[in-house]
Amino acid sequence: TAVADRGLAVSNSRARGIGRFGGSGFARSDSLAATVGGAAISNSDALALGRFGGHAESDSISTATSVGGVAISDGAAISDGLRGGRAESVSDALADTWGGFSESRVRAVSSARRFGNSHANGIGVSVSGPRRASRADVRAVGRAYRFGRSRVNATAVEIRD
């Protein structure tokens, strides 16, 4: 968490989890940056690996909010399942500003190999005030190799009041 008054607020968060031989690996990363009249930058990364029947789940939440300034939010969730493993990735990013510029970037990547299952879900929301710029960039990628199964959902919302 980072807070600033007419300055720069930068918040970075990273998490990593590994599950092997039927175990579970969970990675949850939350990041929040807020400012009044300045720049709020929030970065959140989560990486989870599931091997040999293990379960990998990564969850990334990034929030940036600013009044009269810039809000940039970047969230990434990456999961990988190998040899019967399950991989789930969820990445959410929110950038909210009034009277400034907001940008939300989301990456959700999930892959499954050799009878594995993968699911990737990405949601990006960007909100700005009247006559201001608002941008949401969401990328969700699901990969399946050698009898693996994959599912992908992606949602991008841009709001200009």
Side-chain angles (χ1 to χ4, degrees), residues 91-141:
S91 182
D92 300 331
L94 169 65
D96 186 9
T97 185
W98 180 257
F101 169 78
S102 68
E103 181 176 3
S104 177
R105 293 186 297 253
V106 176
R107 288 175 315 284
V109 179
S110 187
S111 64
R113 290 176 278 205
R114 294 189 183 178
F115 303 100
N117 295 314
S118 74
H119 177 234
N121 187 9
I123 300 171
V125 178
S126 182
V127 181
S128 67
R131 297 181 303 275
R132 299 295 181 179
S134 175
R135 191 175 103 186
D137 181 18
V138 178
R139 295 175 191 209
V141 178

Side-chain angles (χ1 to χ4, degrees), residues 32-59:
L32 171 65
T35 184
V36 176
I41 300 171
S42 177
N43 298 307
S44 178
D45 295 320
L47 171 66
L49 305 173
R51 302 287 190 252
F52 306 105
H55 178 210
E57 185 174 325
S58 63
D59 190 5

Side-chain angles (χ1 to χ4, degrees), residues 71-85:
I72 298 173
S73 182
D74 189 0
I78 299 170
S79 294
D80 188 20
L82 176 64
R83 295 187 185 179

Side-chain angles (χ1 to χ4, degrees), residues 110-114 116-118 142-151:
S110 187
S111 64
R113 290 176 278 205
R114 294 189 183 178
N117 295 314
S118 74
R143 296 184 181 110
Y145 304 101
R146 296 184 183 176
F147 307 105
R149 289 177 293 195
S150 180
R151 186 177 67 195

Side-chain angles (χ1 to χ4, degrees), residues 59-73:
D59 190 5
S60 171
I61 298 173
S62 179
T63 305
T65 183
S66 177
V67 177
V70 176
I72 298 173
S73 182

